[in-house]
Amino acid sequence: MTKLTINKAVEMALPDPFLGRHLIDGEWIEGAETFTRISPSHDTVVSVSAKGDETTTEAAITAARRAFDRGDWSRISAKERSAVLLKVADLIEANVERIAVQETLESGKPISQSRGEVSGAADLWRYAASLARTSHGDSHNSLGADMLGVVVKDPIGVVSIITPWNFPFWILSQKLPFALAAGCTVVVKPSEVTPSSTVMLGELLIAAGLPSGVCNIVLGHGQPVGSLMSTHKDVDMVTFTGSTAVGKMITEASAGTLKKVALELGGKNPQVIMPDADLENAADAVTFGVYFNVGQCCNSSSRIIVHEDIAEDFVARVVALSRLVKFGDPMDPDTQVGAIVTADHQRKIDSYVQQAVAAGAKLELGGGALPVEGLGSQFYQPTVVSNVTPDMAIAREEVFGPVLSVLTFRTLEEAIALTNDSEYGLSAGIWCNDIHTCLEYARRAEAGTVWTNTWMDGYPELAFGGVKESGQGREIGRYGYDEFLEVKSLVMRVGRDSRAPWVEASA
Ligand code: NAD
């Protein structure tokens, strides 16, 4: 164990590197090859994982198919399935600290945030358990005296779950319990950058009594693992969260077998600030929206659209608040914003900023690496860029860093046009004291979620997802659960009268 000095008050022992194995048909499988993850903040190996290949992936898919067809999960009562999910929720709560520490070491996110995400995920498992018990189809008894129509919902089958690195445990919990609640069996591939919390969850699933083969985990890269999970004939559905580029690849790859694909992709999410808004509240929400998870967040409000009359004052408020946000060591319990996930990604963030400045944008704050005492250079300063025009890459593309772009408008029409002038459509928001303006904006913004006078609140009851290049299908809520179900109509003749013959019997 290595000793870490977190800050003057906190010293902790770093856990030994986590050894990640595949979970296939209830067995933990070591890999012939492995890959390592170096912590982005502490520059030390924090996990060594089995590296999946085509054989491992094939075995996992076969196990999921066999388990689905066996029926000891897909055909048992919803009561029995929900009992297991509720046990998993309890086990997650009992293991928050261990999972959160590993999540922070691999992703670079602050420990307080990891604790919140892991313990909060338990609620997603409980909510999915409640859906399993309350889901139902339709019946039609008005089709004629001797006819009964029943619409039932069946689990869709074997589901491939592919997740990204920015919210490894949380995003998995937006998918897995809902798929399991529906009666599906699954193969999961976490990001190669943050594999361990998925393996830890696998351990909890076994402890909760999930039958073997119902949840299989393969560690490794998009090629070949994710790719085979998207093309294999025995997979009925792929649910993916990640970049739009990979989402498109998965859609193409899955076309050969016409499997269902649900995609949660990127976003370039605006917040519109009207002159009559509560500016103090709005400035705080904008600050939160851009720096949360170092901006490595699909819902990051990386662009704001501010009314010209208040733009100068509003930007000054956001800059002042930005200076107060606690960037630093992710293991420090007081840290609000941690490290950038990889050095390559940090270079990409910086290039967006430098390009915008070269094209005439104004740096109001930040714009370079942030030195953090005792740690490497994978931290980026809180950055605010004004004079941004809608054609600049910084205004259109996902920067995925702690960088805010400021655009301005004069009329509501202009604000709506700027909002919708994007390939993305994940989320949008408006700050305004007039309910009519809020409602008009909310109805016309092309986005899967619109927040009015708040930002990034989410609830398991509400659906989440995007329009345009932000994705297709929905996650969480009843709509998210229904994605894992196939609808089947049963048409039954139940009366004593015989069916009218089609062929006339000859005399
Ligand atoms: P990514 O697309 O690079 O990788 C996501 C996952 O796909 C990883 O597990 C990766 O190994 C796998 N993968 C890569 N190539 C593949 C292929 N050819 N076939 C199958 N799988 C493949 O994304 P990332 O860098 O891990 O995450 C960041 C992206 O995720 C951002 O664009 C962000 O906006 C998006 N995201 C979206 C949401 C949402 O809900 N809309 C949430 C979080 C993150």
Side-chain angles (χ1 to χ4, degrees):
M1 279 198 187
T2 324
K3 274 258 177 216
L4 276 188
T5 305
I6 307 300
N7 58 29
K8 290 190 181 78
V10 182
E11 196 167 82
M12 72 168 284
L14 197 66
D16 289 333
F18 182 79
L19 302 179
R21 292 171 295 169
H22 311 297
L23 175 62
I24 298 176
D25 213 5
E27 303 287 329
W28 292 103
I29 311 285
E30 313 242 334
E33 283 187 71
T34 57
F35 61 98
T36 54
R37 172 64 174 152
I38 294 178
S39 165
S41 46
H42 296 90
D43 200 26
T44 176
V45 173
V46 287
S47 62
V48 180
S49 306
K51 186 174 177 184
D53 56 15
E54 289 188 343
T55 311
T56 343
T57 313
E58 182 77 43
I61 294 171
T62 303
R65 180 83 259 162
R66 213 172 27 232
F68 186 82
D69 295 344
R70 203 170 59 216
D72 59 356
W73 184 256
S74 54
R75 292 199 295 274
I76 61 172
S77 70
K79 179 180 171 183
E80 291 167 283
R81 282 202 294 267
S82 76
V84 174
L85 300 187
L86 293 171
K87 261 191 218 159
V88 176
D90 293 345
L91 287 168
I92 289 172
E93 280 173 343
N95 286 274
V96 168
E97 194 57 19
R98 176 171 175 257
I99 302 171
V101 166
Q102 189 65 26
E103 193 90 318
T104 282
L105 291 172
E106 280 185 354
S107 69
K109 68 176 68 202
I111 186 68
S112 59
Q113 189 187 319
S114 291
R115 286 177 183 138
E117 283 170 23
V118 175
S119 57
D123 190 41
L124 291 169
W125 284 79
R126 292 201 177 102
Y127 180 66
S130 76
L131 287 176
R133 297 296 298 273
T134 52
S135 174
H136 54 80
D138 308 320
S139 64
H140 296 261
N141 66 346
S142 54
L143 307 176
D146 60 344
M147 296 303 288
L148 183 63
V150 180
V151 181
V152 297
K153 294 180 180 177
D154 286 334
I156 200 162
V158 174
V159 179
S160 286
I161 298 180
I162 303 175
T163 56
W165 46 259
N166 56 348
F167 296 92
F169 197 85
W170 179 265
I171 288 175
L172 180 57
S173 296
Q174 292 202 142
K175 298 175 186 289
L176 180 57
F178 295 85
L180 293 177
C184 296
T185 61
V186 303
V187 178
V188 180
K189 191 199 92 58
S191 166
E192 57 276 22
V193 176
T194 50
S196 303
S197 61
T198 298
V199 177
M200 289 174 168
L201 182 60
E203 293 168 357
L204 305 185
L205 296 179
I206 305 268
L210 193 73
S212 60
V214 172
C215 176
N216 306 275
I217 299 170
V218 184
L219 308 177
H221 295 73
Q223 292 293 353
V225 180
S227 181
L228 187 54
M229 287 168 68
S230 314
T231 50
H232 200 288
K233 64 173 177 38
D234 283 343
V235 171
D236 300 291
M237 173 179 175
V238 183
T239 170
F240 168 80
T241 298
S243 60
T244 295
V246 173
K248 287 179 182 175
M249 278 187 230
I250 287 176
T251 304
E252 269 182 45
S254 63
T257 47
L258 281 185
K259 47 181 100 294
K260 179 171 180 178
V261 178
L263 303 170
E264 300 294 336
L265 309 174
K268 190 70 196 175
N269 315 296
Q271 294 198 59
V272 169
I273 322 294
M274 299 299 284
D276 69 341
D278 173 344
L279 296 185
E280 200 179 320
N281 230 313
D284 184 77
V286 165
T287 308
F288 162 64
V290 70
Y291 302 128
F292 176 65
N293 216 47
V294 218
Q296 300 173 145
C297 177
C298 55
N299 267 330
S300 166
S301 66
S302 55
R303 58 181 178 134
I304 55 168
I305 302 171
V306 195
H307 193 279
E308 261 182 14
D309 291 353
I310 53 159
E312 204 180 318
D313 171 37
F314 190 74
V315 170
R317 286 173 189 258
V318 173
V319 167
L321 289 178
S322 301
R323 293 185 200 280
L324 301 176
V325 179
K326 295 188 181 76
F327 280 60
D329 187 341
M331 293 304 289
D332 186 332
D334 291 333
T335 293
Q336 290 173 288
V337 181
I340 303 294
V341 73
T342 59
D344 272 354
H345 188 55
Q346 170 129 335
R347 278 190 284 278
K348 188 172 154 198
I349 294 168
D350 193 50
S351 76
Y352 276 112
V353 176
Q354 304 318 328
Q355 238 185 64
V357 172
K362 182 178 169 207
L363 210 47
E364 303 275 355
L365 181 72
L370 175 75
V372 173
E373 202 190 331
L375 300 181
S377 56
Q378 240 166 264
F379 293 84
Y380 203 81
Q381 293 173 29
T383 298
V384 179
V385 186
S386 64
N387 282 355
V388 170
T389 52
D391 56 315
M392 290 180 183
I394 205 170
R396 308 198 69 80
E397 294 173 23
E398 248 192 330
V399 176
F400 235 51
V403 178
L404 180 68
S405 295
V406 182
L407 296 105
T408 56
F409 73 96
R410 279 183 303 272
T411 63
L412 180 64
E413 280 306 313
E414 267 177 39
I416 293 171
L418 280 169
T419 293
N420 294 338
D421 178 22
S422 172
E423 282 78 43
Y424 292 115
L426 188 60
S427 57
I430 185 164
W431 291 84
C432 179
N433 266 337
D434 175 24
I435 180 78
H436 304 290
T437 306
C438 287
L439 199 52
E440 176 164 6
Y441 179 83
R443 293 178 72 168
R444 292 178 59 193
E446 293 166 359
T449 299
V450 180
W451 285 288
T452 68
N453 295 314
T454 186
W455 187 258
M456 235 193 295
D457 298 308
Y459 300 90
E461 289 85 347
L462 302 183
F464 177 62
V467 301
K468 303 200 279 190
E469 295 204 6
S470 287
Q472 60 192 33
R474 289 294 177 267
E475 227 157 56
I476 64 174
R478 189 167 288 283
Y479 291 96
Y481 175 69
D482 280 350
E483 296 279 347
F484 296 106
L485 295 165
E486 199 69 88
V487 170
K488 184 193 279 177
S489 293
L490 311 184
V491 185
M492 298 178 282
R493 199 162 55 74
V494 293
R496 290 180 196 282
D497 295 342
S498 67
R499 184 179 154 270
W502 187 59
V503 181
E504 289 262 338
S506 56

